[in-house]
Amino acid sequence: MIVKAVALFLVAMLVLGIFGKWRRPGAGARHRGPAIEPARRCRACDTYLIGSSPDACGRPDCPNR
């Protein structure tokens, strides 16, 4: 009985997947959100920059501070 229910569920998921691809064939590439911005790093000491200031490094020994 449980095997029959699992098989029916898998067939239903397969049919939904087929119809979803059929309705929107190129949806994966077109409806993608914005790319994640890469982490900013200090040019002098190569540590991560955290905060709103684009150039200020937080390390006290950094020459770029």
Side-chain angles (χ1 to χ4, degrees):
M1 181 71 182
I2 290 180
V3 174
K4 186 188 230 183
V6 169
L8 186 62
F9 175 76
L10 290 176
V11 168
M13 289 287 110
L14 179 69
V15 169
L16 285 174
I18 290 172
F19 279 116
K21 287 283 188 180
W22 176 61
R23 199 177 81 194
R24 300 185 319 174
R30 285 185 289 147
H31 297 297
R32 210 173 285 174
I36 296 174
E37 180 182 325
R40 295 177 298 142
R41 299 187 91 155
C42 178
R43 291 185 191 110
C45 64
D46 203 38
T47 189
Y48 290 104
L49 296 175
I50 299 173
S52 60
S53 179
D55 297 328
C57 182
R59 289 182 58 173
D61 59 340
C62 179
N64 200 19
R65 184 177 174 169

PDB file of all heavy atoms in Angstrom, residues 2 7 10 13 16 20 26 30 32 36 41 46 49 55 64:
ATOM      1  N   ILE A   2       1.910   1.284   0.866  1.00  0.00           N
ATOM      2  CA  ILE A   2       2.784   2.455   0.938  1.00  0.00           C
ATOM      3  C   ILE A   2       3.611   2.571  -0.343  1.00  0.00           C
ATOM      4  O   ILE A   2       3.836   3.678  -0.842  1.00  0.00           O
ATOM      5  CB  ILE A   2       3.682   2.378   2.186  1.00  0.00           C
ATOM      6  CG1 ILE A   2       2.822   2.575   3.432  1.00  0.00           C
ATOM      7  CG2 ILE A   2       4.785   3.410   2.129  1.00  0.00           C
ATOM      8  CD1 ILE A   2       3.581   2.533   4.719  1.00  0.00           C
ATOM      9  N   ALA A   7       4.901   5.466  -5.271  1.00  0.00           N
ATOM     10  CA  ALA A   7       4.996   5.417  -6.731  1.00  0.00           C
ATOM     11  C   ALA A   7       4.050   6.424  -7.371  1.00  0.00           C
ATOM     12  O   ALA A   7       4.422   7.114  -8.333  1.00  0.00           O
ATOM     13  CB  ALA A   7       4.702   4.008  -7.224  1.00  0.00           C
ATOM     14  N   LEU A  10       5.550   9.902  -6.947  1.00  0.00           N
ATOM     15  CA  LEU A  10       6.663  10.138  -7.865  1.00  0.00           C
ATOM     16  C   LEU A  10       6.190  10.371  -9.290  1.00  0.00           C
ATOM     17  O   LEU A  10       6.725  11.223 -10.004  1.00  0.00           O
ATOM     18  CB  LEU A  10       7.646   8.970  -7.810  1.00  0.00           C
ATOM     19  CG  LEU A  10       8.442   8.848  -6.510  1.00  0.00           C
ATOM     20  CD1 LEU A  10       9.302   7.593  -6.540  1.00  0.00           C
ATOM     21  CD2 LEU A  10       9.290  10.074  -6.284  1.00  0.00           C
ATOM     22  N   MET A  13       4.840  13.923  -9.428  1.00  0.00           N
ATOM     23  CA  MET A  13       5.934  14.894  -9.490  1.00  0.00           C
ATOM     24  C   MET A  13       6.566  14.931 -10.881  1.00  0.00           C
ATOM     25  O   MET A  13       6.918  15.995 -11.389  1.00  0.00           O
ATOM     26  CB  MET A  13       7.016  14.563  -8.446  1.00  0.00           C
ATOM     27  CG  MET A  13       6.590  14.818  -7.037  1.00  0.00           C
ATOM     28  SD  MET A  13       6.542  16.576  -6.694  1.00  0.00           S
ATOM     29  CE  MET A  13       4.799  16.857  -6.556  1.00  0.00           C
ATOM     30  N   LEU A  16       4.175  16.853 -13.149  1.00  0.00           N
ATOM     31  CA  LEU A  16       4.249  18.292 -12.877  1.00  0.00           C
ATOM     32  C   LEU A  16       5.543  18.901 -13.418  1.00  0.00           C
ATOM     33  O   LEU A  16       5.532  20.012 -13.949  1.00  0.00           O
ATOM     34  CB  LEU A  16       4.144  18.540 -11.377  1.00  0.00           C
ATOM     35  CG  LEU A  16       2.754  18.396 -10.769  1.00  0.00           C
ATOM     36  CD1 LEU A  16       2.837  18.526  -9.258  1.00  0.00           C
ATOM     37  CD2 LEU A  16       1.813  19.430 -11.337  1.00  0.00           C
ATOM     38  N   GLY A  20       5.707  21.756 -16.265  1.00  0.00           N
ATOM     39  CA  GLY A  20       6.377  23.011 -15.929  1.00  0.00           C
ATOM     40  C   GLY A  20       7.424  23.381 -16.961  1.00  0.00           C
ATOM     41  O   GLY A  20       7.560  24.537 -17.350  1.00  0.00           O
ATOM     42  N   GLY A  26      12.482  28.228 -21.172  1.00  0.00           N
ATOM     43  CA  GLY A  26      13.739  28.883 -20.828  1.00  0.00           C
ATOM     44  C   GLY A  26      13.661  29.642 -19.531  1.00  0.00           C
ATOM     45  O   GLY A  26      14.372  30.618 -19.341  1.00  0.00           O
ATOM     46  N   ARG A  30      16.217  32.952 -17.760  1.00  0.00           N
ATOM     47  CA  ARG A  30      15.652  34.294 -17.855  1.00  0.00           C
ATOM     48  C   ARG A  30      15.193  34.854 -16.515  1.00  0.00           C
ATOM     49  O   ARG A  30      15.287  36.041 -16.287  1.00  0.00           O
ATOM     50  CB  ARG A  30      14.460  34.309 -18.811  1.00  0.00           C
ATOM     51  CG  ARG A  30      14.867  34.240 -20.257  1.00  0.00           C
ATOM     52  CD  ARG A  30      13.663  34.370 -21.144  1.00  0.00           C
ATOM     53  NE  ARG A  30      12.889  33.130 -21.023  1.00  0.00           N
ATOM     54  CZ  ARG A  30      11.579  33.064 -21.104  1.00  0.00           C
ATOM     55  NH1 ARG A  30      10.874  34.146 -21.286  1.00  0.00           N
ATOM     56  NH2 ARG A  30      10.960  31.923 -20.999  1.00  0.00           N
ATOM     57  N   ARG A  32      16.300  34.356 -13.464  1.00  0.00           N
ATOM     58  CA  ARG A  32      17.274  34.268 -12.400  1.00  0.00           C
ATOM     59  C   ARG A  32      17.441  35.638 -11.743  1.00  0.00           C
ATOM     60  O   ARG A  32      17.407  36.658 -12.403  1.00  0.00           O
ATOM     61  CB  ARG A  32      18.609  33.810 -12.978  1.00  0.00           C
ATOM     62  CG  ARG A  32      19.437  33.031 -11.994  1.00  0.00           C
ATOM     63  CD  ARG A  32      20.631  32.470 -12.659  1.00  0.00           C
ATOM     64  NE  ARG A  32      20.242  31.334 -13.484  1.00  0.00           N
ATOM     65  CZ  ARG A  32      21.059  30.702 -14.278  1.00  0.00           C
ATOM     66  NH1 ARG A  32      22.295  31.088 -14.396  1.00  0.00           N
ATOM     67  NH2 ARG A  32      20.654  29.678 -14.977  1.00  0.00           N
ATOM     68  N   ILE A  36      25.207  37.411  -6.975  1.00  0.00           N
ATOM     69  CA  ILE A  36      25.706  37.814  -5.678  1.00  0.00           C
ATOM     70  C   ILE A  36      26.979  38.634  -5.870  1.00  0.00           C
ATOM     71  O   ILE A  36      27.874  38.255  -6.616  1.00  0.00           O
ATOM     72  CB  ILE A  36      25.990  36.581  -4.805  1.00  0.00           C
ATOM     73  CG1 ILE A  36      24.701  35.841  -4.537  1.00  0.00           C
ATOM     74  CG2 ILE A  36      26.663  36.983  -3.513  1.00  0.00           C
ATOM     75  CD1 ILE A  36      24.900  34.544  -3.810  1.00  0.00           C
ATOM     76  N   ARG A  41      37.655  43.376  -0.751  1.00  0.00           N
ATOM     77  CA  ARG A  41      38.865  43.168   0.040  1.00  0.00           C
ATOM     78  C   ARG A  41      39.756  44.393  -0.062  1.00  0.00           C
ATOM     79  O   ARG A  41      39.765  45.094  -1.062  1.00  0.00           O
ATOM     80  CB  ARG A  41      39.608  41.941  -0.459  1.00  0.00           C
ATOM     81  CG  ARG A  41      38.759  40.678  -0.322  1.00  0.00           C
ATOM     82  CD  ARG A  41      39.547  39.503  -0.656  1.00  0.00           C
ATOM     83  NE  ARG A  41      40.154  39.036   0.584  1.00  0.00           N
ATOM     84  CZ  ARG A  41      40.523  37.794   0.787  1.00  0.00           C
ATOM     85  NH1 ARG A  41      40.372  36.904  -0.148  1.00  0.00           N
ATOM     86  NH2 ARG A  41      41.050  37.441   1.921  1.00  0.00           N
ATOM     87  N   ASP A  46      44.717  42.775   2.110  1.00  0.00           N
ATOM     88  CA  ASP A  46      43.910  41.650   1.618  1.00  0.00           C
ATOM     89  C   ASP A  46      42.914  41.118   2.655  1.00  0.00           C
ATOM     90  O   ASP A  46      42.540  39.965   2.630  1.00  0.00           O
ATOM     91  CB  ASP A  46      44.817  40.520   1.129  1.00  0.00           C
ATOM     92  CG  ASP A  46      44.098  39.623   0.134  1.00  0.00           C
ATOM     93  OD1 ASP A  46      43.332  40.160  -0.672  1.00  0.00           O
ATOM     94  OD2 ASP A  46      44.299  38.399   0.178  1.00  0.00           O
ATOM     95  N   LEU A  49      36.598  43.923   3.660  1.00  0.00           N
ATOM     96  CA  LEU A  49      36.084  45.232   4.042  1.00  0.00           C
ATOM     97  C   LEU A  49      34.638  45.060   4.487  1.00  0.00           C
ATOM     98  O   LEU A  49      33.805  44.537   3.752  1.00  0.00           O
ATOM     99  CB  LEU A  49      36.161  46.206   2.871  1.00  0.00           C
ATOM    100  CG  LEU A  49      37.559  46.536   2.376  1.00  0.00           C
ATOM    101  CD1 LEU A  49      37.486  47.408   1.141  1.00  0.00           C
ATOM    102  CD2 LEU A  49      38.353  47.224   3.461  1.00  0.00           C
ATOM    103  N   ASP A  55      36.500  52.249   1.050  1.00  0.00           N
ATOM    104  CA  ASP A  55      37.956  52.166   1.078  1.00  0.00           C
ATOM    105  C   ASP A  55      38.550  51.964   2.465  1.00  0.00           C
ATOM    106  O   ASP A  55      39.732  51.659   2.584  1.00  0.00           O
ATOM    107  CB  ASP A  55      38.569  53.431   0.475  1.00  0.00           C
ATOM    108  CG  ASP A  55      38.204  53.581  -0.981  1.00  0.00           C
ATOM    109  OD1 ASP A  55      38.046  52.549  -1.653  1.00  0.00           O
ATOM    110  OD2 ASP A  55      38.070  54.720  -1.439  1.00  0.00           O
ATOM    111  N   ASN A  64      46.556  51.268   4.231  1.00  0.00           N
ATOM    112  CA  ASN A  64      45.454  51.867   3.497  1.00  0.00           C
ATOM    113  C   ASN A  64      44.435  52.511   4.447  1.00  0.00           C
ATOM    114  O   ASN A  64      43.441  53.047   4.004  1.00  0.00           O
ATOM    115  CB  ASN A  64      44.765  50.821   2.628  1.00  0.00           C
ATOM    116  CG  ASN A  64      43.972  51.434   1.510  1.00  0.00           C
ATOM    117  OD1 ASN A  64      44.182  52.574   1.143  1.00  0.00           O
ATOM    118  ND2 ASN A  64      43.042  50.683   0.982  1.00  0.00           N
TER     119      ASN A  64
END
